[in-house]
Each structure stands twice: as structure tokens, then as C-alpha cells.
Amino acid sequence: MAPSSARETVKQARRDLHRQHLLDAAERVFAARGYDGTRMQEIASECGLALATVYGIVRGKEELYAEVHEVRGRALLERATKATVSSSSAFAALQAAVRAYTEFLLAHPHYLRLHLQESQPWALDPRFTSAEQGQLWREGLALTVEVFRAAIAEGSIVDESPTLLARLMIAAHQVFLGEWVAQGMVESSDVVVARMQNHIARAFARSS
């Protein structure tokens, strides 16, 4: 490798490392203070970078907030989608997706708190701060609706509007996850997942 190419590779690796470190720090600060209450200087201090360095990575708070959602939110959606693929039934796929995204959010509590900070109703067309959030929310809702539709077709879920059922489930999960945070985030993911899965069975499963 030519010396100039080697130097550029090192510089790019350093930029990538700074960017990831910045995203992690921004996630923590946004979770603690909310979007409106966060200043870029606070994020710079949290990640140990000079403010000028931060502005060399992103143009401002809006872009940084959007990128946090794009990175974390995309990973969350991919995890939930993958969980549905190998399930033995649509009902099992629904429960598997719930486990996947719940475990993801509990493993990333700052991202969960960031969502809860916005005080938006997750199920009712939230007015998100960034376009990335809106796109991810629409994709997530569409995935949930399709799984509910398949479960209705197989006879495991009550025959109701799949969109309505999806929104009702999402609303309930906002309450479950918000309660987990409010109670100190001490319950294990298995306990929280079981509670949410049991709610699905009680609220939506067709009686045998």
C-alpha cells in the first residue's frame, strides 16, 4: 500500500471511530435531556471531543439525532424482521418479533428512554423530530400489520382489522416498556418479554 493510501486509511478509521463514539454519546445525552433540552456542547463533552471536531463529523443536532435513529432504529427493525422468518406459524412469528425488539430495546436502554422522552403515542402516527424516525415507524407498523393479517388468516388471532390490532399492541408495549424504565429497569428481559407475550395471547388470540 502506498504511504498516502495508508495514511488515508488510518484517517478514515479514526473518523469512523469518532463518529461511532459521537453517536453513542449523543444517544445518552438525548435520552437524558430530550432533543430540545440537548446542546451540542453537552454531546461534545460527553464524548470527549472538541466541539469543532464534532461539527466536522455532523452538521448539527438535527443530523446527529436523525443518524442515531437511523443506526439504532434500522438495527431494531432488522432484528424484528429476521425473527419472523423462521417461525412455524404467524402467531409464533408475532411472538418472536416481540421478543426480538423487546430484547433489543432493553439491551439499549438509552435508545428506549430516548423514545419515551418524546412523549409521543407510538401507535397513533407520532409527530417525530426526524424523517428517519417516521420512515422506520411506517416500516415497523407495516411489518406488524402483515404478521397480524397472516395470523388472522391462519385462525390464531381474532378476526379484526389487522391495522387496529397492530396499533393496540404497539400502544400496550409503550406502556409495558415505559413502566420497566419507571421501575428502575431491574426486571430481566425474560420477565418483560413474557409479560408482553402473555398480553398478546390474552388480548388477541382466538379462543379455542
Side-chain angles (χ1 to χ4, degrees):
M1 182 180 295
S4 60
S5 297
R7 284 194 298 270
E8 185 56 38
T9 299
V10 171
K11 286 171 62 178
Q12 184 60 51
R14 186 181 297 116
R15 285 195 293 268
D16 291 344
L17 182 61
H18 281 173
R19 193 176 198 93
Q20 184 58 57
H21 192 40
L22 175 60
L23 289 175
D24 291 341
E27 184 180 64
R28 294 192 296 272
V29 178
F30 284 135
R33 299 181 177 275
Y35 179 81
D36 291 333
T38 295
R39 297 183 298 117
M40 288 294 282
Q41 181 60 62
E42 294 168 331
I43 295 174
S45 297
E46 176 70 17
C47 66
L49 296 175
L51 187 59
T53 301
V54 170
Y55 277 112
I57 299 172
V58 294
R59 289 171 293 183
K61 185 170 73 169
E62 183 177 354
E63 179 182 325
L64 186 54
Y65 192 76
E67 186 161 350
V68 168
H69 279 288
E70 177 60 30
V71 171
R72 275 291 186 247
R74 182 59 58 188
L76 169 60
L77 184 58
E78 289 175 355
R79 183 80 61 87
T81 302
K82 183 178 179 181
T84 68
V85 173
S86 59
S87 298
S88 59
S89 68
F91 187 81
L94 181 63
Q95 297 286 46
V98 169
R99 173 173 288 279
Y101 80 70
T102 302
E103 289 179 341
F104 183 93
L105 288 172
L106 269 57
H108 299 89
H110 296 299
Y111 188 59
L112 172 57
R113 290 178 61 209
L114 188 157
H115 274 291
L116 295 170
Q117 269 278 9
E118 293 191 328
S119 299
Q120 293 283 346
W122 292 0
L124 297 175
D125 300 319
R127 296 180 180 179
F128 291 118
T129 301
S130 69
E132 285 75 10
Q133 288 173 273
Q135 179 61 34
L136 289 165
W137 180 84
R138 288 188 292 273
E139 290 180 34
L141 178 63
L143 170 65
T144 308
V145 168
E146 285 307 307
V147 177
F148 265 109
R149 181 173 287 114
I152 292 168
E154 76 180 9
S156 59
I157 291 290
V158 294
D159 189 5
E160 180 57 89
S161 162
T163 300
L164 175 63
L165 297 180
R167 289 178 183 271
L168 287 170
M169 186 188 76
I170 292 168
H173 289 177
Q174 183 177 15
V175 175
F176 282 123
L177 293 169
E179 183 69 8
W180 180 76
V181 171
Q183 295 301 318
M185 302 185 290
V186 294
E187 286 187 323
S188 70
S189 61
D190 284 341
V191 171
V192 179
V193 168
R195 183 177 294 123
M196 293 166 69
Q197 290 180 331
N198 288 338
H199 174 262
I200 291 171
R202 291 193 305 269
F204 307 121
R206 184 185 291 275
S207 300
S208 55

